[in-house]
Amino acid sequence: MLKRSGFDLDTAVFLAEASAAAYSEAGARAFAKENGFSQIELFDRGNVQGYWCGANDSALLVFRGTNNIGQWLRDFQALPAPHEWGWVHLGFSRGVDAVARDLRPFDESAGKAGRHIWIAGHSLGGALAVLAAARLRVKNICAPLVLTYGQPAVGLADFASRFDAELSRSLWHVVNQNDVVPRVPPLYSHCGVVKRIIRPGALEAVAENDGAAQLERPVVPPSTFGRSETLQEIIGVTMPATLETATPERVEISDIGPSSLSNFEFARLQVALGTGESAGMEGVFLEGAMPFFKDHHIGAYIRLLKDIRDSRA
């Protein structure tokens, strides 16, 4: 599977399952064994976890995502830090630096001539995967291929431009319809090529909404919006219906990605998730918000990618 050099649905499903396996040690070990990897090493340092596994002609590095995306969004701060290729998010950069020592065996494996190297991750793990790929390139170890799912943007436009120049056509990030995580942080830019899971007609609806946004519209009083209404407006406005009951033939993949949230939209999202609330109330806000993040779950990515793959078989 890892011998393929571009995006295809078999690889997308395989690496989505690899990303899901990163959420537990038992899952990672089982995935490696079931797929014929003779070597596996796990790492867990601070808030960064994952694993890498290798076979004779390939190696795979996978980063785990966050278990509580609502809390992560609520507390997120888009602090920039310098990188060899431009400005990147400070927390993501420190995360990859924190496991640099743990990745030395992977570096040695990835640097061997003729090997197929992939890096993957879901959510926060996808952001770490992008910076891990840049790290390998900066160190002249190799030029890996990368596939991510529900990944937030990693850096500003200068980093994204340099990444695409250094690792051209090497990164694909998959977005599942209403997943809001790929739309943050504000002002940051995605690298690579987007692959967005949508329903037919969804992009026309998005274009119509975008066009209407350019027209002068009456200002809606803030009192009109409760917490659920705010989440619905920000997370759910860009797509029509849910894919929960979509049949395989009604799902497809587009190369047109969602727009990033503005600073104002992101601030409103964080307030709706409990930022600024008194101690003890944050959990109440997050519990009620969980249904709005169902499109971010790695299980949803796997199920829909399988649906699309099988419908084309």
Side-chain angles (χ1 to χ4, degrees):
M1 187 68 66
L2 297 184
K3 295 180 182 180
R4 303 178 184 183
S5 58
F7 179 89
D8 65 74
L9 289 168
D10 286 330
T11 303
V13 170
F14 180 77
L15 292 178
E17 292 174 337
S19 298
Y23 281 91
S24 73
E25 178 177 344
R29 293 191 183 280
F31 175 86
K33 182 178 181 180
E34 292 168 4
N35 289 284
F37 292 102
S38 57
Q39 180 180 12
I40 179 171
E41 294 192 19
L42 291 89
F43 52 87
D44 184 347
R45 195 170 295 277
N47 294 321
V48 181
Q49 296 85 29
Y51 67 96
W52 74 271
C53 49
N56 291 332
D57 57 1
S58 61
L60 169 64
L61 171 63
V62 184
F63 288 91
R64 196 190 82 176
T66 177
N67 282 317
N68 191 331
I69 193 59
Q71 180 178 331
W72 182 83
L73 285 166
R74 183 196 68 195
D75 299 337
F76 185 84
Q77 292 182 306
L79 303 176
H83 183 276
E84 288 88 344
W85 291 355
W87 291 93
V88 300
H89 182 263
L90 176 62
F92 300 156
S93 178
R94 286 180 175 174
V96 172
D97 289 344
V99 295
R101 181 177 299 179
D102 302 277
L103 296 182
R104 286 176 183 171
F106 173 76
D107 294 345
E108 295 176 7
S109 179
K112 294 179 181 178
R115 306 206 84 192
H116 302 274
I117 309 302
W118 280 87
I119 307 178
H122 166 247
S123 191
L124 168 62
L128 298 174
V130 172
L131 285 176
R135 171 182 171 274
L136 289 177
R137 184 63 170 167
V138 167
K139 293 168 67 70
N140 290 317
I141 294 174
C142 68
L145 300 175
V146 188
L147 232 170
T148 69
Y149 308 85
Q151 167 226 316
V154 169
L156 300 183
D158 55 354
F159 174 83
S161 178
R162 181 69 180 275
F163 185 101
D164 288 341
E166 295 282 348
L167 292 168
S168 176
R169 303 292 297 185
S170 296
L171 164 64
W172 299 267
H173 58 101
V174 184
V175 178
N176 180 24
Q177 56 154 11
N178 277 346
D179 188 352
V180 71
V181 176
R183 301 178 64 197
V184 303
L187 304 181
Y188 279 52
S189 299
H190 275 289
C191 318
V193 178
V194 65
K195 295 292 180 179
R196 190 180 188 186
I197 301 170
I198 61 166
R199 279 177 172 237
L203 292 179
E204 289 81 352
V206 171
E208 184 176 342
N209 275 333
D210 288 345
Q214 305 303 318
L215 302 177
E216 184 175 350
R217 293 182 290 182
V219 177
V220 179
S223 58
T224 303
F225 291 95
R227 187 162 55 91
S228 294
E229 288 79 10
T230 297
L231 292 172
Q232 179 61 45
E233 183 204 8
I234 294 174
I235 297 176
V237 70
T238 58
M239 304 291 278
T242 178
L243 285 175
E244 195 65 32
T245 58
T247 55
E249 64 271 20
R250 294 292 294 167
V251 184
E252 59 187 33
I253 286 186
S254 167
D255 291 339
I256 301 177
S259 59
S260 297
L261 295 185
S262 68
N263 280 317
F264 180 63
E265 288 173 321
F266 188 48
R268 289 180 60 210
L269 175 64
Q270 290 185 308
V271 170
L273 293 174
T275 293
E277 292 298 317
S278 57
M281 287 298 296
E282 303 96 329
V284 176
F285 274 69
L286 291 177
E287 183 178 351
M290 287 305 103
F292 290 94
F293 302 121
K294 63 183 178 181
D295 289 337
H296 183 66
H297 296 168
I298 187 61
Y301 277 87
I302 294 172
R303 175 175 59 83
L304 292 171
L305 287 169
K306 283 183 175 180
D307 285 348
I308 298 170
R309 180 196 63 186
D310 295 346
S311 70
R312 296 182 180 181

